[in-house]
Amino acid sequence: VEGDNEIIENYFVTVYYEPDDTTDPVVIPDTDPDQAKINLVKDYLILDTQVKEDISLIASSNGVAISWASNNTAISTTGVVTRSITENISVELVATLTSGDKTDTKTFTIVVLQVDVLGEASEALQIPSNIEGDIDFPSNIGDDFVVTITWQSNHPAVNVNGTVIASPDEDTNVTLTATLSYDGETLEKTFNVIVLKDNTILNALESLVLDDIIVRDINLVSSLGLVTITWESSDTTVITTDGIVTR
């Protein structure tokens, strides 16, 4: 350890047993240090038995060089995975481990899972559970956007083109149904969302402030943002609806 830096190094050693009775012969195991390193790395070299994504095929570990061979292009020797849209593919990967003049191999059988185009597109399709303002409904999804999507809504608060008409009084529960289509097959996915109430008018009211005591004409605004404002006066001889003050 130097300062805050810590360096860890592994050393492979051979420990021999020496009996108490020196008349007995010393038994020296027939284990080469290079072979010991290979055995250790081989024991800890593990790969998943089923894959969908690229895998990491390491080139070395603890001083042991590792090279790879594959019997199918579904998994390359660099770990790139290519999936089929029609079937699962069984691949045999062979790791060759080398240290010094010692060499050993370890074989893995891995299944590259078939692409579930609609299922995986459905998993990837997400929309917010709370909606405030218009929403962008995707019309395509998946690799190269090969899956098309059509939408249905059970409530006029959300139009299928993504236009949201929020209630000014309360939050609204809406069920949205996406129909995913690919190669003549379809899959539905349902979303239960909440369209949050429209606080535009409430926010405008909160920001609309007049002085309690006035001595001159006042500015009665006709709009705040998207909110249109009209005015009434209980006594137009004192204050008109245009804000004219008569004292």
Side-chain angles (χ1 to χ4, degrees):
V1 178
E2 181 179 347
D4 295 331
N5 298 319
E6 180 179 348
I7 300 175
I8 300 176
E9 294 187 2
N10 296 321
Y11 297 91
F12 293 87
V13 298
T14 302
V15 179
Y16 299 111
Y17 165 71
E18 182 175 353
D20 293 335
D21 186 353
T22 57
T23 61
D24 292 338
V26 175
V27 179
I28 301 176
D30 184 19
T31 303
D32 181 278
D34 286 323
Q35 186 62 52
K37 290 199 295 183
I38 289 175
N39 292 343
L40 180 63
V41 172
K42 184 177 179 179
D43 287 342
Y44 284 91
L45 189 60
I46 299 173
L47 297 176
D48 291 334
T49 57
Q50 295 182 338
V51 298
K52 292 181 179 179
E53 300 176 346
D54 295 348
I55 58 177
S56 176
L57 300 180
I58 59 175
S60 64
S61 177
N62 291 326
V64 176
I66 306 172
S67 61
W68 296 89
S70 172
N71 72 339
N72 195 296
T73 56
I75 303 180
S76 75
T77 55
T78 57
V80 176
V81 172
T82 303
R83 300 167 66 191
S84 167
I85 62 173
T86 59
E87 61 181 351
N88 294 334
I89 301 175
S90 180
V91 180
E92 187 176 274
L93 284 179
V94 179
T96 300
L97 301 89
T98 303
S99 180
D101 61 353
K102 298 297 182 180
T103 299
D104 201 351
T105 61
K106 185 171 184 177
T107 301
F108 301 88
T109 299
I110 302 175
V111 176
V112 177
L113 297 176
Q114 172 186 348
V115 177
D116 179 6
V117 177
L118 286 177
E120 293 178 20
S122 177
E123 289 181 8
L125 180 61
Q126 301 294 333
I127 61 173
S129 57
N130 293 333
I131 298 176
E132 187 175 14
D134 293 347
I135 184 170
D136 181 20
F137 286 137
S139 57
N140 297 85
I141 199 171
D143 291 341
D144 299 323
F145 300 99
V146 295
V147 177
T148 59
I149 309 171
T150 56
W151 294 88
Q152 288 182 316
S153 171
N154 76 332
H155 196 285
V158 181
N159 192 283
V160 292
N161 64 9
T163 300
V164 174
I165 305 173
S167 166
D169 302 319
E170 61 183 0
D171 297 341
T172 306
N173 293 310
V174 179
T175 299
L176 299 171
T177 303
T179 301
L180 295 83
S181 302
Y182 172 74
D183 197 26
E185 298 184 0
T186 60
L187 179 66
E188 287 189 352
K189 184 172 184 177
T190 299
F191 299 90
N192 294 311
V193 302
I194 298 175
V195 177
L196 301 178
K197 66 180 180 180
D198 189 351
N199 289 318
T200 304
I201 295 177
L202 178 61
N203 293 338
L205 286 173
E206 291 178 349
S207 64
L208 193 61
V209 179
L210 295 178
D211 293 332
D212 293 333
I213 300 176
I214 57 176
V215 295
R216 60 180 59 88
D217 294 347
I218 57 178
N219 180 26
L220 300 181
V221 296
S222 59
S223 65
L224 282 175
L226 299 176
V227 177
T228 300
I229 304 173
T230 59
W231 296 88
E232 293 182 4
S233 173
S234 63
D235 191 341
T236 56
T237 63
V238 179
I239 304 177
T240 71
T241 56
D242 296 325
I244 305 300
V245 174
T246 303
R247 300 173 61 189

